[in-house]
Every structure is written in C-alpha cells, then in structure tokens.
Short mmCIF file of all heavy atoms in Angstrom, two decimals:
data_model
loop_
_atom_site.label_atom_id
_atom_site.label_comp_id
_atom_site.label_asym_id
_atom_site.label_seq_id
_atom_site.Cartn_x
_atom_site.Cartn_y
_atom_site.Cartn_z
N HIS A 1 0.85 -1.18 0.00
CA HIS A 1 0.01 0.00 0.00
C HIS A 1 0.88 1.23 0.00
O HIS A 1 2.07 1.19 0.37
CB HIS A 1 -0.93 0.02 1.22
CG HIS A 1 -0.21 -0.10 2.53
ND1 HIS A 1 0.34 1.00 3.17
CD2 HIS A 1 0.12 -1.17 3.29
CE1 HIS A 1 0.93 0.58 4.29
NE2 HIS A 1 0.81 -0.73 4.40
N THR A 2 0.33 2.35 -0.39
CA THR A 2 1.09 3.61 -0.47
C THR A 2 1.55 4.07 0.90
O THR A 2 0.86 3.86 1.90
CB THR A 2 0.26 4.71 -1.16
OG1 THR A 2 1.06 5.90 -1.24
CG2 THR A 2 -1.00 5.00 -0.38
N LYS A 3 2.72 4.70 0.94
CA LYS A 3 3.25 5.24 2.19
C LYS A 3 2.84 6.70 2.37
O LYS A 3 3.25 7.37 3.31
CB LYS A 3 4.79 5.16 2.20
CG LYS A 3 5.36 3.80 1.85
CD LYS A 3 4.90 2.70 2.78
CE LYS A 3 5.62 1.39 2.53
NZ LYS A 3 5.42 0.81 1.21
N PHE A 4 2.01 7.21 1.44
CA PHE A 4 1.61 8.63 1.48
C PHE A 4 0.57 8.83 2.59
O PHE A 4 -0.38 8.06 2.72
CB PHE A 4 1.00 9.04 0.14
CG PHE A 4 0.63 10.48 0.07
CD1 PHE A 4 1.54 11.45 -0.29
CD2 PHE A 4 -0.66 10.90 0.38
CE1 PHE A 4 1.20 12.79 -0.36
CE2 PHE A 4 -1.02 12.24 0.33
CZ PHE A 4 -0.08 13.18 -0.06
N GLY A 5 0.78 9.88 3.38
CA GLY A 5 -0.17 10.22 4.44
C GLY A 5 -0.40 11.72 4.46
O GLY A 5 0.26 12.49 3.78
N ILE A 6 -1.34 12.16 5.29
CA ILE A 6 -1.69 13.57 5.36
C ILE A 6 -0.49 14.41 5.83
O ILE A 6 -0.34 15.57 5.49
CB ILE A 6 -2.89 13.79 6.30
CG1 ILE A 6 -3.37 15.27 6.20
CG2 ILE A 6 -2.53 13.42 7.72
CD1 ILE A 6 -3.87 15.67 4.85
N GLU A 7 0.41 13.77 6.65
CA GLU A 7 1.56 14.53 7.14
C GLU A 7 2.49 14.94 6.00
O GLU A 7 3.16 15.97 6.05
CB GLU A 7 2.34 13.72 8.19
CG GLU A 7 3.10 12.52 7.67
CD GLU A 7 2.21 11.30 7.43
OE1 GLU A 7 1.00 11.37 7.75
OE2 GLU A 7 2.71 10.28 6.93
N ARG A 8 2.52 14.15 4.91
CA ARG A 8 3.36 14.52 3.76
C ARG A 8 2.78 15.72 3.03
O ARG A 8 3.53 16.47 2.42
CB ARG A 8 3.51 13.33 2.81
CG ARG A 8 4.40 12.23 3.33
CD ARG A 8 4.53 11.09 2.37
NE ARG A 8 5.10 11.54 1.10
CZ ARG A 8 5.23 10.74 0.03
NH1 ARG A 8 4.84 9.48 0.10
NH2 ARG A 8 5.74 11.20 -1.08
N PHE A 9 1.47 15.89 3.08
CA PHE A 9 0.85 17.06 2.45
C PHE A 9 1.32 18.33 3.17
O PHE A 9 1.70 19.33 2.55
CB PHE A 9 -0.66 16.93 2.53
CG PHE A 9 -1.42 18.08 1.95
CD1 PHE A 9 -1.64 18.16 0.59
CD2 PHE A 9 -1.88 19.12 2.76
CE1 PHE A 9 -2.33 19.24 0.05
CE2 PHE A 9 -2.57 20.20 2.23
CZ PHE A 9 -2.79 20.25 0.87
N ILE A 10 1.32 18.27 4.50
CA ILE A 10 1.74 19.43 5.29
C ILE A 10 3.26 19.63 5.17
O ILE A 10 3.74 20.74 4.92
CB ILE A 10 1.35 19.24 6.77
CG1 ILE A 10 -0.19 19.11 6.87
CG2 ILE A 10 1.86 20.38 7.63
CD1 ILE A 10 -0.67 18.69 8.25
N ASN A 11 4.01 18.53 5.35
CA ASN A 11 5.47 18.64 5.32
C ASN A 11 5.98 19.12 3.96
O ASN A 11 7.00 19.79 3.88
CB ASN A 11 6.11 17.30 5.67
CG ASN A 11 5.87 16.90 7.11
OD1 ASN A 11 5.55 17.75 7.93
ND2 ASN A 11 6.01 15.64 7.41
N GLY A 12 5.25 18.76 2.90
CA GLY A 12 5.68 19.16 1.58
C GLY A 12 5.74 20.66 1.42
O GLY A 12 6.71 21.21 0.86
N PHE A 13 4.71 21.37 1.88
CA PHE A 13 4.69 22.81 1.78
C PHE A 13 5.72 23.46 2.73
O PHE A 13 6.35 24.45 2.38
CB PHE A 13 3.30 23.37 2.08
CG PHE A 13 2.38 23.30 0.89
CD1 PHE A 13 1.29 22.44 0.89
CD2 PHE A 13 2.62 24.07 -0.23
CE1 PHE A 13 0.44 22.36 -0.20
CE2 PHE A 13 1.76 24.02 -1.33
CZ PHE A 13 0.68 23.16 -1.33
N LEU A 14 5.89 22.86 3.91
CA LEU A 14 6.92 23.38 4.81
C LEU A 14 8.30 23.20 4.21
O LEU A 14 9.17 24.10 4.31
CB LEU A 14 6.85 22.65 6.17
CG LEU A 14 5.57 22.91 6.98
CD1 LEU A 14 5.58 22.07 8.26
CD2 LEU A 14 5.44 24.39 7.33
N ASP A 15 8.52 22.07 3.55
CA ASP A 15 9.81 21.83 2.89
C ASP A 15 10.03 22.81 1.75
O ASP A 15 11.16 23.26 1.54
CB ASP A 15 9.87 20.40 2.33
CG ASP A 15 9.95 19.36 3.42
OD1 ASP A 15 10.40 19.69 4.52
OD2 ASP A 15 9.54 18.21 3.18
N LEU A 16 8.97 23.16 1.05
CA LEU A 16 9.09 24.13 -0.05
C LEU A 16 9.53 25.50 0.49
O LEU A 16 10.41 26.15 -0.09
CB LEU A 16 7.77 24.26 -0.80
CG LEU A 16 7.76 25.28 -1.95
CD1 LEU A 16 8.81 24.91 -2.99
CD2 LEU A 16 6.37 25.30 -2.61
N LEU A 17 8.91 25.93 1.62
CA LEU A 17 9.31 27.18 2.23
C LEU A 17 10.77 27.13 2.70
O LEU A 17 11.54 28.07 2.48
CB LEU A 17 8.39 27.51 3.41
CG LEU A 17 6.92 27.79 3.08
CD1 LEU A 17 6.13 27.99 4.36
CD2 LEU A 17 6.79 29.02 2.19
N SER A 18 11.13 26.01 3.31
CA SER A 18 12.48 25.84 3.82
C SER A 18 13.52 25.86 2.71
O SER A 18 14.53 26.56 2.77
CB SER A 18 12.58 24.54 4.62
OG SER A 18 13.92 24.27 4.99
N ILE A 19 13.24 25.10 1.66
CA ILE A 19 14.20 24.98 0.57
C ILE A 19 14.34 26.29 -0.20
O ILE A 19 15.41 26.63 -0.69
CB ILE A 19 13.80 23.81 -0.37
CG1 ILE A 19 15.04 23.24 -1.06
CG2 ILE A 19 12.77 24.21 -1.38
CD1 ILE A 19 14.77 21.95 -1.78
N THR A 20 13.25 27.06 -0.27
CA THR A 20 13.31 28.37 -0.95
C THR A 20 14.18 29.32 -0.13
O THR A 20 15.01 30.05 -0.69
CB THR A 20 11.89 28.95 -1.09
OG1 THR A 20 11.10 28.04 -1.87
CG2 THR A 20 11.93 30.29 -1.80
N PHE A 21 14.00 29.32 1.19
CA PHE A 21 14.79 30.19 2.04
C PHE A 21 16.27 29.80 1.99
O PHE A 21 17.15 30.66 1.88
CB PHE A 21 14.28 30.12 3.48
CG PHE A 21 15.02 31.02 4.42
CD1 PHE A 21 14.65 32.34 4.56
CD2 PHE A 21 16.09 30.55 5.16
CE1 PHE A 21 15.32 33.18 5.43
CE2 PHE A 21 16.79 31.39 6.02
CZ PHE A 21 16.40 32.71 6.15
N VAL A 22 16.55 28.49 2.07
CA VAL A 22 17.93 28.02 2.05
C VAL A 22 18.59 28.37 0.73
O VAL A 22 19.77 28.75 0.67
CB VAL A 22 18.00 26.50 2.30
CG1 VAL A 22 19.38 25.97 2.04
CG2 VAL A 22 17.58 26.18 3.74
N ASN A 23 17.82 28.25 -0.36
CA ASN A 23 18.37 28.58 -1.68
C ASN A 23 18.81 30.03 -1.76
O ASN A 23 19.89 30.35 -2.24
CB ASN A 23 17.30 28.28 -2.75
CG ASN A 23 17.73 28.68 -4.15
OD1 ASN A 23 18.93 28.67 -4.45
ND2 ASN A 23 16.80 29.06 -4.97
N ARG A 24 17.96 30.92 -1.26
CA ARG A 24 18.24 32.35 -1.42
C ARG A 24 19.17 32.92 -0.35
O ARG A 24 19.93 33.84 -0.61
CB ARG A 24 16.91 33.12 -1.40
CG ARG A 24 16.02 32.76 -2.60
CD ARG A 24 14.75 33.59 -2.62
NE ARG A 24 13.93 33.24 -3.78
CZ ARG A 24 12.74 33.76 -4.02
NH1 ARG A 24 12.21 34.63 -3.20
NH2 ARG A 24 12.05 33.38 -5.10
N PHE A 25 19.09 32.37 0.86
CA PHE A 25 19.84 32.97 1.94
C PHE A 25 20.71 32.00 2.71
O PHE A 25 21.33 32.39 3.72
CB PHE A 25 18.88 33.66 2.92
CG PHE A 25 17.97 34.66 2.29
CD1 PHE A 25 16.62 34.37 2.12
CD2 PHE A 25 18.45 35.87 1.83
CE1 PHE A 25 15.76 35.29 1.51
CE2 PHE A 25 17.61 36.79 1.23
CZ PHE A 25 16.27 36.51 1.07
N GLY A 26 20.78 30.73 2.29
CA GLY A 26 21.56 29.74 3.04
C GLY A 26 23.02 30.07 3.12
O GLY A 26 23.67 29.85 4.16
N LYS A 27 23.60 30.62 2.06
CA LYS A 27 25.03 30.96 2.08
C LYS A 27 25.28 32.33 2.71
O LYS A 27 26.37 32.59 3.18
CB LYS A 27 25.56 30.97 0.63
CG LYS A 27 25.49 29.62 -0.07
CD LYS A 27 26.37 28.60 0.61
CE LYS A 27 26.35 27.28 -0.17
NZ LYS A 27 27.17 26.24 0.47
N SER A 28 24.29 33.20 2.69
CA SER A 28 24.46 34.55 3.26
C SER A 28 23.23 34.93 4.06
O SER A 28 22.43 35.77 3.64
CB SER A 28 24.69 35.57 2.13
OG SER A 28 25.84 35.25 1.38
N PRO A 29 23.04 34.31 5.24
CA PRO A 29 21.85 34.61 6.04
C PRO A 29 21.79 36.07 6.48
O PRO A 29 20.71 36.59 6.75
CB PRO A 29 21.99 33.68 7.25
CG PRO A 29 23.42 33.25 7.26
CD PRO A 29 23.88 33.26 5.84
N MET A 30 22.94 36.75 6.53
CA MET A 30 22.94 38.15 6.91
C MET A 30 22.15 39.00 5.91
O MET A 30 21.58 40.04 6.27
CB MET A 30 24.36 38.67 7.00
CG MET A 30 24.47 40.12 7.45
SD MET A 30 23.80 40.42 9.10
CE MET A 30 25.22 39.95 10.09
N HIS A 31 22.06 38.56 4.66
CA HIS A 31 21.33 39.33 3.65
C HIS A 31 19.83 39.40 4.00
O HIS A 31 19.15 40.33 3.59
CB HIS A 31 21.50 38.70 2.26
CG HIS A 31 22.89 38.86 1.72
ND1 HIS A 31 23.27 38.35 0.51
CD2 HIS A 31 23.98 39.49 2.24
CE1 HIS A 31 24.54 38.65 0.29
NE2 HIS A 31 24.99 39.34 1.34
N PHE A 32 19.33 38.39 4.71
CA PHE A 32 17.92 38.38 5.12
C PHE A 32 17.77 38.98 6.51
O PHE A 32 17.10 40.00 6.69
CB PHE A 32 17.38 36.96 5.09
CG PHE A 32 15.94 36.86 5.57
CD1 PHE A 32 14.91 37.15 4.72
CD2 PHE A 32 15.66 36.48 6.88
CE1 PHE A 32 13.58 37.07 5.15
CE2 PHE A 32 14.35 36.39 7.31
CZ PHE A 32 13.31 36.70 6.46
N PHE A 33 18.42 38.35 7.48
CA PHE A 33 18.25 38.79 8.86
C PHE A 33 18.83 40.19 9.07
O PHE A 33 18.27 41.01 9.78
CB PHE A 33 18.91 37.79 9.82
CG PHE A 33 18.21 36.49 9.90
CD1 PHE A 33 18.72 35.37 9.27
CD2 PHE A 33 17.03 36.36 10.62
CE1 PHE A 33 18.07 34.16 9.35
CE2 PHE A 33 16.36 35.15 10.70
CZ PHE A 33 16.89 34.05 10.07
N GLY A 34 19.98 40.43 8.45
CA GLY A 34 20.64 41.73 8.62
C GLY A 34 19.82 42.86 8.05
O GLY A 34 19.69 43.93 8.66
N LEU A 35 19.24 42.63 6.85
CA LEU A 35 18.44 43.69 6.21
C LEU A 35 17.25 44.09 7.08
O LEU A 35 17.08 45.27 7.41
CB LEU A 35 17.97 43.21 4.84
CG LEU A 35 16.98 44.13 4.11
CD1 LEU A 35 17.65 45.46 3.81
CD2 LEU A 35 16.48 43.47 2.83
N PHE A 36 16.44 43.10 7.46
CA PHE A 36 15.26 43.42 8.26
C PHE A 36 15.64 43.88 9.67
O PHE A 36 14.95 44.69 10.28
CB PHE A 36 14.33 42.20 8.32
CG PHE A 36 13.61 41.95 7.02
CD1 PHE A 36 14.05 40.95 6.16
CD2 PHE A 36 12.53 42.73 6.63
CE1 PHE A 36 13.41 40.72 4.95
CE2 PHE A 36 11.87 42.50 5.44
CZ PHE A 36 12.32 41.50 4.59
N GLY A 37 16.75 43.33 10.18
CA GLY A 37 17.21 43.75 11.49
C GLY A 37 17.61 45.21 11.51
O GLY A 37 17.22 45.97 12.40
N VAL A 38 18.38 45.63 10.51
CA VAL A 38 18.80 47.02 10.43
C VAL A 38 17.61 47.95 10.22
O VAL A 38 17.49 49.00 10.86
CB VAL A 38 19.83 47.20 9.29
CG1 VAL A 38 20.06 48.69 9.00
CG2 VAL A 38 21.15 46.53 9.67
N LEU A 39 16.68 47.56 9.34
CA LEU A 39 15.51 48.39 9.10
C LEU A 39 14.67 48.56 10.38
O LEU A 39 14.23 49.67 10.71
CB LEU A 39 14.64 47.77 8.00
CG LEU A 39 15.22 47.82 6.59
CD1 LEU A 39 14.30 47.08 5.60
CD2 LEU A 39 15.42 49.25 6.13
N ALA A 40 14.48 47.45 11.13
CA ALA A 40 13.68 47.52 12.35
C ALA A 40 14.41 48.36 13.40
O ALA A 40 13.79 49.20 14.09
CB ALA A 40 13.42 46.12 12.88
N PHE A 41 15.70 48.16 13.54
CA PHE A 41 16.47 48.89 14.56
C PHE A 41 16.49 50.38 14.24
O PHE A 41 16.22 51.23 15.11
CB PHE A 41 17.88 48.34 14.62
CG PHE A 41 18.75 49.01 15.66
CD1 PHE A 41 18.67 48.62 16.99
CD2 PHE A 41 19.61 50.04 15.33
CE1 PHE A 41 19.45 49.25 17.95
CE2 PHE A 41 20.39 50.66 16.27
CZ PHE A 41 20.30 50.27 17.60
N VAL A 42 16.80 50.72 12.99
CA VAL A 42 16.87 52.14 12.60
C VAL A 42 15.51 52.80 12.73
O VAL A 42 15.38 53.93 13.22
CB VAL A 42 17.43 52.28 11.17
CG1 VAL A 42 17.30 53.72 10.67
CG2 VAL A 42 18.88 51.84 11.14
N GLY A 43 14.45 52.07 12.30
CA GLY A 43 13.11 52.65 12.41
C GLY A 43 12.71 52.89 13.84
O GLY A 43 12.16 53.94 14.19
N GLY A 44 13.00 51.92 14.73
CA GLY A 44 12.66 52.07 16.14
C GLY A 44 13.42 53.20 16.79
O GLY A 44 12.85 54.02 17.53
N MET A 45 14.71 53.29 16.49
CA MET A 45 15.52 54.36 17.07
C MET A 45 15.10 55.73 16.55
O MET A 45 15.11 56.72 17.29
CB MET A 45 17.00 54.13 16.77
CG MET A 45 17.59 52.91 17.50
SD MET A 45 17.42 53.00 19.30
CE MET A 45 18.43 54.44 19.65
#
C-alpha cells in the first residue's frame, strides 16, 4: 500500500518554504536577517 499520508501534504509545503529560504539565503543569512534587522532597529531608534 502507499506510504503517502496527510503529514506529507503538510510537510511538503513546509519543505518548499524551507528549501526556498535556504536557496536564497543559506550561504548569506545576513542578507535576510541583517536587512530586516537594520531596518527595524533604525526605524525604532
């Protein structure tokens, strides 16, 4: 019988979000966190 279950439906979309983030920012996480961090800090100050 198939090994497919409802958890794979949920995990599939979570994996898509994860793999997209890793693709764009995995090598340079500062480009994501640093950008929004600086904007939030400067705006707050």
Side-chain angles (χ1 to χ4, degrees):
H1 55 85
T2 181
K3 310 301 188 297
F4 183 87
I6 188 63
E7 71 280 356
R8 287 181 60 185
F9 179 83
I10 299 171
N11 292 341
F13 278 112
L14 294 177
D15 291 335
L16 179 59
L17 295 176
S18 173
I19 207 169
T20 300
F21 182 86
V22 170
N23 176 29
R24 295 183 179 177
F25 305 107
K27 298 296 184 182
S28 300
M30 182 62 83
H31 291 178
F32 177 82
F33 290 104
L35 173 63
F36 288 101
V38 168
L39 290 176
F41 181 82
V42 171
M45 291 303 297

